[in-house]
Amino acid sequence: MTTADTNKDRVYIFDTTLRDGEQSPGATMTLEEKLQVAEMLDDMGVDIIEAGFPIASNGDFEAVAEVAKRSKNAIIAGLARAIPADIARAGEAVRFARQGRIHTFVSTSPIHLAHQMKKTEEQVLEIISATVAQARNLIDNVEWSAMDATRTPIDFLARCVELAIKAGATTINLPDTVGYAVPEEHGAMFRAIIERVPGADKVIFSSHCHNDLGLAVANSLAAVKAGARQVECTINGLGERAGNAALEEIVMALRTRGDAMPYHTNIETTHLSRASKIVSAAANFPVQYNKAIVGKNAFAHESGIHQDGMLKNAETYEIMTPASVGIKETTLVMGKHSGRAAFKDKLRELGYELGDNAFQEAFVRFKDLADRKKHIYDADIVALVDDEAGSIDDRIKLVDMEVVSKTGGIHRCEMTVTIDGEKTTVSYDGTGSVDAIFNAIKQAVGLDPHLVLYAVDGVTGGTDAQASAHVRLEHNGRIASGNAAEPDTLVASARAYLNAVNRLLIERGAAAQGAMESAAS
């Protein structure tokens, strides 16, 4: 991809949900979840999918390679430090793609060079020349990033960019790695580099912004106005610390405010709501209610003045339609008398295509829910299917649970779980019902993680609404999140806790496997 074959008003969307997004503590995804997310990104028109960091682990390498094999349209990128082994590993992973990219980076700011790299500016320049050339010898599509570009003196940054272009980079990324920039200076940095660096007109400039000051989207848009034609972002703004620029916000800002920003992307915006739900379920990261574009309240109006305006003309208080991002009004068409064909059609309408086994399991859970709940909303079905997908590979599963709770008295949970198919029954008292449930699980599995977060939301309204429970656990420096949806709040809480424990066990197993492989090498 070079400037010669691009429209000057086209902005390429580089999605790093599977790489930078997955670096959020507790957001680790399984291979199947990564493949599901990658397929969704490919279908919605994402131009470049950064599928992972191949040198990080065998699991990351496998994920990048598998995404590369399955991609139909998107360029598949693998991240690599400016280290020969990293670059070789990334090249090996993306070679399976219809079109692959090696994305290599090195720090350029004085604070990084002094305290992290422990290199001089001249040494960094030598590293850039050697490693970008190595990547270009492996593949035609090479992206180079100046880590912490926004805190790098502009003269040195220009020298680095010039060398990267001469060595063969086709995309130049100037990231706001720590979310330090403000829009005016971020735009000025891009303008200065594009104007003064020889060969700048032959490459694509890219923006990668973090949200530490809440300015990631604003900075990304400032970069586009200054000449960047690639934006690096994630679904739901997922990412390290405060996250990355949110893909859905950037895309809809460009679409809605074409008068102020006459640029366009190839994203099919009606997929945005579904994409948000898929990533939220896969990463076990709930989306805040007031999240722009895809939050539960993004198109909700409670104020009487707002409601009055909406009834008269929706444009009075909505600058985009819910349908434009794939959100439609909740319907009540499903119930206990609905059959397989109707359920399959509803799933298709909601964006799901399930295999035979997954469909049968979802249908059984749907009928069970319909027996307990009078009205089945679209949101209930989404929660039910996403919940099932998130726990299908769990080693530990809830079989039965009885909770006894008395005001001012005892709170006891008797629970039966299966661990790798073997049944175990335990009983535990607690200071409250949830405390008893969580302690019973700890006793059953022999693990005592720290509870970082516990929250329960209603999927829909009403006393029979499904409860969506969210749990985040920390154990031995690893963090894992779990979600579950059930009409019974206590059962949802137990299943969410078990889901998080299962993820901790997966990560612990992967870490142990990695340690054994390192010892053997």
Side-chain angles (χ1 to χ4, degrees):
M1 183 175 70
T2 64
T3 313
D5 57 23
T6 66
N7 181 322
K8 65 185 178 69
D9 297 330
R10 163 84 182 277
V11 174
Y12 291 87
I13 297 299
F14 176 114
D15 183 277
T16 184
T17 302
L18 295 176
R19 199 277 301 170
D20 209 336
E22 205 205 12
Q23 290 176 200
S24 296
T28 301
M29 304 178 207
T30 65
L31 176 60
E32 285 305 312
E33 288 166 338
K34 288 181 179 181
L35 294 176
Q36 181 190 20
V37 170
E39 182 180 12
M40 172 271 299
L41 294 172
D42 203 20
D43 288 344
M44 73 186 288
V46 166
D47 299 292
I48 305 100
I49 299 172
E50 187 165 56
F53 198 167
I55 198 72
S57 69
N58 288 337
D60 241 37
F61 177 87
E62 181 186 2
V64 176
E66 198 59 37
V67 168
K69 290 174 186 174
R70 299 190 185 198
S71 171
K72 299 177 189 137
N73 303 302
I75 296 167
I76 305 302
L79 187 69
R81 294 168 297 181
I83 298 173
D86 278 41
I87 292 168
R89 190 69 165 157
E92 188 180 351
V94 301
R95 68 185 172 87
F96 300 103
R98 182 187 64 83
Q99 191 172 356
R101 172 183 293 187
I102 294 174
H103 178 195
T104 184
F105 69 95
V106 68
S107 292
T108 56
S109 70
I111 191 169
H112 276 220
L113 267 57
H115 300 286
Q116 185 176 25
M117 292 278 292
K118 299 189 184 304
K119 301 284 186 185
T120 65
E121 289 186 350
E122 292 306 316
Q123 287 173 316
V124 168
L125 293 171
E126 291 173 7
I127 289 170
I128 292 169
S129 292
T131 54
V132 172
Q134 178 195 356
R136 186 58 190 264
N137 284 334
L138 295 173
I139 199 164
D140 289 339
N141 196 321
V142 175
E143 177 170 341
W144 176 79
S145 288
M147 188 154 74
D148 206 20
T150 49
R151 294 193 294 175
T152 301
I154 198 71
D155 289 341
F156 180 61
L157 184 61
R159 291 177 67 196
C160 292
V161 171
E162 183 176 355
L163 270 182
I165 293 172
K166 284 180 178 177
T170 52
T171 299
I172 298 294
N173 181 36
L174 305 180
D176 186 20
T177 305
V178 293
Y180 179 75
V182 297
E184 293 81 3
E185 67 186 12
H186 198 57
M189 175 186 70
F190 275 91
R191 273 189 295 271
I193 294 298
I194 291 171
E195 288 170 2
R196 68 194 287 181
V197 172
D201 59 326
K202 301 295 192 296
V203 300
I204 296 287
F205 278 85
S206 178
S207 171
H208 178 120
C209 296
H210 281 262
N211 205 38
D212 298 72
L213 294 176
L215 295 171
V217 170
N219 285 333
S220 299
L221 296 174
V224 169
K225 294 180 78 171
R229 288 297 176 267
Q230 176 179 291
V231 175
E232 307 193 3
C233 44
T234 61
I235 300 293
N236 296 336
L238 198 64
E240 289 192 87
R241 304 184 314 278
N244 287 47
L247 180 150
E248 60 277 2
E249 295 177 25
I250 290 167
V251 168
M252 290 308 294
L254 293 175
R255 187 180 190 270
T256 305
R257 290 305 312 274
D259 57 328
M261 297 174 288
Y263 315 106
H264 67 275
T265 73
N266 275 5
I267 298 296
E268 175 50 64
T269 64
T270 57
H271 292 197
L272 291 174
S273 178
R274 182 75 200 109
S276 171
K277 290 180 174 66
I278 288 174
V279 170
S280 177
N284 276 311
F285 260 55
V287 177
Q288 67 191 63
Y289 282 10
N290 63 334
K291 168 75 175 64
I293 314 301
V294 292
K296 191 173 182 178
N297 290 348
F299 294 94
H301 305 269
E302 186 169 330
S303 160
I305 295 173
H306 286 215
Q307 290 175 347
D308 178 66
M310 286 294 296
L311 289 170
K312 293 171 180 172
N313 186 325
E315 291 184 11
T316 55
Y317 288 101
E318 285 186 350
I319 59 173
M320 66 196 95
T321 65
S324 69
V325 299
I327 296 174
K328 65 185 188 67
E329 189 175 352
T330 302
T331 56
L332 304 173
V333 298
M334 301 300 292
K336 65 180 181 180
H337 299 298
S338 300
R340 282 178 172 79
F343 184 61
K344 182 168 283 190
D345 185 66
K346 171 57 69 174
L347 290 177
R348 199 173 292 118
E349 179 186 319
L350 294 172
Y352 292 98
E353 289 288 346
L354 303 182
D356 292 341
N357 291 340
F359 171 78
Q360 182 58 31
E361 290 171 0
F363 184 70
V364 169
R365 288 198 65 199
F366 161 71
K367 296 295 274 189
D368 180 56
L369 178 63
D371 282 335
R372 292 182 285 164
K373 193 175 187 297
K374 186 176 180 180
H375 297 303
I376 306 296
Y377 295 82
D378 289 356
D380 288 313
I381 296 173
V382 168
L384 180 150
V385 177
D386 286 345
D387 176 42
E388 185 71 26
S391 60
I392 196 166
D393 295 321
D394 285 356
R395 290 176 54 198
I396 308 167
K397 295 181 182 288
L398 179 65
V399 176
D400 190 37
M401 183 177 79
E402 181 177 342
V403 181
V404 176
S405 184
K406 181 175 174 58
T407 304
I410 195 168
H411 302 271
R412 175 173 296 156
C413 173
E414 183 170 309
M415 178 182 292
T416 300
V417 299
T418 58
I419 304 175
D420 294 328
E422 296 291 324
K423 277 190 178 181
T424 299
T425 299
V426 294
S427 180
Y428 207 97
D429 295 348
T431 56
S433 299
V434 173
D435 184 57
I437 291 167
F438 289 178
N439 279 308
I441 294 172
K442 291 179 187 179
Q443 183 180 1
V445 303
L447 202 66
D448 188 16
H450 170 62
L451 180 64
V452 178
L453 170 72
Y454 167 62
V456 178
D457 303 315
V459 173
T460 56
T463 56
D464 65 346
Q466 283 195 98
S468 178
H470 314 286
V471 169
R472 189 171 300 164
L473 304 177
E474 187 274 331
H475 186 68
N476 291 340
R478 287 188 293 275
I479 297 177
S481 300
N483 290 338
E486 284 277 350
D488 187 307
T489 302
L490 296 181
V491 175
S493 301
R495 292 187 60 240
Y497 194 99
L498 281 168
N499 188 227
V501 169
N502 275 289
R503 285 173 176 265
L504 280 177
L505 293 177
I506 290 172
E507 291 182 21
R508 185 169 66 176
Q513 178 68 23
M516 287 189 289
E517 289 169 355
S518 296
S521 62

